[in-house]
Amino acid sequence: MIGRQSMINDYFQIHKYALNIFLKNIDTLISKYKGTKKECIMFGTSIIAEMVVDQLKDTELKISFIIDNAKSRQGMEVYGKKVYAPERLKAEYNDNYLILIASSFQDEMIKQLESYGYMYGKHIVKIIDLPELMNDYSYVDRTGLHRLSQDEVKKVQLNILKKLKECSIEYGIRYYLHAGTALGAVRHRGYIPWDDDVDVFVPIDDYLKLIHILENDKRYKIISQFNTDYYYGWGFGYMIDCNTICDVNKFPIQISLGQSIDLFPLYGIPEDEREKDIYINTVKNLESKCLISIKDEDRINAINKLNKFLLNYNYNECKLVGNVLMPAFVNDIYEKDILGNGLEMQFENLLLNIPEKYDLFLKQLYGDYMQLPPVEKRKGEHFYHTYFKE
């Protein structure tokens, strides 16, 4: 296993601006409602919801249950709490409920609860104003630096992809464009017009090898859970251009590093259904500890355990591969022959590898992938600002 923080400290910086606001608001909430005997309900099942459940578990305001609009979650138990449809609160209106929200969809959630008779400020409390926080970059000072346009960002990303391809040719690094980037190559021969990032799959053995290869490179580096003391969510690491500065605002991670592409390791996954279920549950439980652990020692121990478990199954010997830490979850498990040796396809001004059986690959992720989404959904969803270094 690669020694974390080795030769990498100068290339990224973690900020705790948003996290400190979150913790301060939790303390304020506990103090304000002490002795009121309020029954606390959490709205949503995101990682922030898990952080709230964890922070309140030993207090008077511990969460009784969770509500979520996602029908797939209703009836499940997550974070040790039962999940119900929000309509339960309408059916059994309770003036003593304190409903907690920490979500990008906070406005819609509040309107929904108000339609049930609950009042913002009395029954409904925002733990944090997530949209406001994710647009607040006041924790860094970039005065005098040139902020890159979207086109300039894409040029930097394409240079990173060019470097990845060079490493593939010289050192035998396997890679496959993934998700919206693979879809962009097939449907648009480049970026999806409204997209603003790059996603790449790299088999874990090659991923770790690439970290070593770039350790002494002056311009390009890998920032990941395997060589730093942080987990960045969704199981990915960054391949960065050190000639730029990129401030990424993604709660609970706020990080400054070079403009990047996202590298997702591909892991071997067991075929036996029961063993696979155990694998998935174990990975997700280990991941949650990486994300909700506030103390450095607890987080580092959690990352060590997660990394060790992920490496249990040899990629080259497994027929199933994938990364269940990703947003698509179990939909990002593939028969390895779908990836194959890769197939070169045009992506902007480069020829890059996509999965060999890309039609099966993209149908698994998107269904009818050639159908464009509705106009209102054609927008990027990433929070970052990028600058050229002086």
Side-chain angles (χ1 to χ4, degrees):
M1 182 128 359
I2 291 174
R4 291 209 297 271
Q5 301 296 142
S6 173
M7 301 175 66
I8 205 71
N9 288 319
D10 293 338
Y11 301 101
F12 79 106
Q13 181 182 5
I14 292 289
H15 309 281
K16 297 187 177 181
Y17 175 74
L19 180 61
N20 288 336
I21 290 175
F22 168 82
L23 294 174
K24 180 180 178 181
N25 290 353
I26 288 286
D27 287 342
T28 300
L29 183 79
I30 293 170
S31 176
K32 180 177 179 178
Y33 291 98
K34 184 177 181 180
T36 60
K37 298 184 179 179
K38 290 285 187 181
E39 183 174 357
C40 283
I41 316 301
M42 187 72 220
F43 199 153
T45 52
S46 68
I47 185 59
I48 312 176
E50 184 176 9
M51 292 174 71
V52 174
V53 171
D54 184 67
Q55 289 295 307
L56 295 179
K57 65 184 178 182
D58 297 321
T59 74
E60 292 179 26
L61 299 181
K62 62 184 177 183
I63 303 297
S64 294
F65 59 89
I66 297 173
I67 57 172
D68 198 298
N69 281 311
K71 294 186 183 300
S72 60
R73 287 295 181 103
Q74 294 165 10
M76 294 177 61
E77 185 173 294
V78 298
Y79 320 137
K81 306 295 177 182
K82 193 70 176 286
V83 181
Y84 297 95
E87 286 76 15
R88 170 177 172 170
L89 301 190
K90 181 179 181 180
E92 53 179 52
Y93 178 88
N94 187 334
D95 193 53
N96 198 46
Y97 278 161
L98 191 64
I99 309 162
L100 308 181
I101 294 175
S103 170
S104 297
F105 304 101
Q106 60 185 27
D107 292 341
E108 293 94 326
M109 291 173 166
I110 291 169
K111 287 180 181 178
Q112 183 178 2
L113 293 170
E114 287 177 337
S115 74
Y116 300 160
Y118 296 97
M119 297 173 58
Y120 179 68
K122 180 180 180 183
H123 308 105
I124 309 166
V125 175
K126 287 189 288 190
I127 293 293
I128 54 172
D129 191 321
L130 192 61
E132 180 181 279
L133 268 181
M134 294 301 93
N135 284 288
D136 181 359
Y137 289 82
S138 62
Y139 56 90
V140 291
D141 182 6
R142 302 303 180 206
T143 304
L145 296 184
H146 168 72
R147 183 175 169 189
L148 274 62
S149 66
Q150 188 174 51
D151 286 342
E152 288 173 321
V153 166
K154 288 179 178 179
K155 287 180 182 178
V156 174
Q157 292 173 340
L158 288 170
N159 282 331
I160 300 173
L161 282 169
K162 183 179 178 182
K163 178 66 176 182
L164 176 61
K165 182 174 181 178
E166 290 172 358
C167 290
S168 174
I169 294 169
E170 185 173 356
Y171 300 102
I173 300 296
R174 296 165 290 181
Y175 73 92
Y176 311 88
L177 300 186
H178 179 48
T181 312
L183 175 57
V186 173
R187 196 171 66 191
H188 304 275
R189 296 296 185 262
Y191 286 93
I192 295 174
W194 52 89
D195 203 3
D196 54 5
D197 75 341
V198 171
D199 299 323
V200 180
F201 263 152
V202 180
I204 183 59
D205 295 347
D206 295 338
Y207 187 93
L208 297 177
K209 182 179 176 182
L210 186 61
I211 292 175
H212 280 304
I213 290 168
L214 295 179
E215 276 183 344
N216 296 315
D217 193 281
K218 293 182 178 179
R219 181 166 180 178
Y220 299 102
K221 301 288 180 185
I222 304 291
I223 306 292
S224 84
Q225 71 204 58
F226 290 97
N227 66 336
T228 74
D229 290 334
Y230 293 91
Y231 176 76
Y232 305 99
W234 291 359
F236 74 90
Y238 302 93
M239 183 170 173
I240 67 169
D241 180 340
C242 301
N243 288 349
T244 60
I245 298 174
C246 182
D247 300 313
V248 180
N249 213 354
K250 186 184 72 170
F251 190 88
I253 289 292
Q254 292 177 300
I255 183 172
S256 296
L257 68 175
Q259 177 59 50
S260 65
I261 63 172
D262 297 340
L263 295 188
F264 293 88
L266 281 165
Y267 302 100
I269 293 175
E271 289 181 77
D272 178 80
E273 286 300 321
R274 184 173 180 277
E275 189 178 359
K276 184 167 67 174
D277 287 344
I278 293 172
Y279 170 91
I280 292 168
N281 289 330
T282 302
V283 168
K284 297 305 287 184
N285 287 333
L286 289 172
E287 179 194 33
S288 72
K289 300 297 183 185
C290 299
L291 290 165
I292 69 172
S293 295
I294 304 299
K295 296 180 180 178
D296 289 345
E297 182 180 357
D298 292 342
R299 184 189 65 256
I300 293 169
N301 286 337
I303 294 171
N304 282 335
K305 291 178 181 179
L306 175 63
N307 289 348
K308 182 178 180 181
F309 185 81
L310 288 168
L311 296 174
N312 275 344
Y313 294 88
N314 187 296
Y315 176 88
N316 295 316
E317 295 176 0
C318 289
K319 292 182 179 180
L320 288 182
V321 298
N323 189 329
V324 299
L325 298 166
M326 298 183 66
F329 190 29
V330 295
N331 217 31
D332 261 318
I333 296 177
Y334 307 90
E335 293 183 9
K336 191 161 59 181
D337 69 351
I338 289 179
L339 303 175
N341 294 319
L343 177 69
E344 279 199 339
M345 188 165 287
Q346 182 180 342
F347 186 86
E348 301 295 338
N349 61 342
L350 300 171
L351 286 175
L352 299 170
N353 283 345
I354 64 170
E356 196 170 293
K357 299 180 180 178
Y358 64 85
D359 183 60
L360 290 175
F361 179 81
L362 292 173
K363 281 179 178 175
Q364 179 171 320
L365 276 177
Y366 301 111
D368 183 7
Y369 59 87
M370 294 303 288
Q371 179 67 41
L372 293 175
V375 174
E376 64 272 14
K377 292 189 177 181
R378 298 179 194 177
K379 56 185 179 180
E381 298 179 348
H382 302 90
F383 296 92
Y384 61 74
H385 291 171
T386 305
Y387 307 83
F388 283 126
K389 284 187 175 179
E390 291 180 314

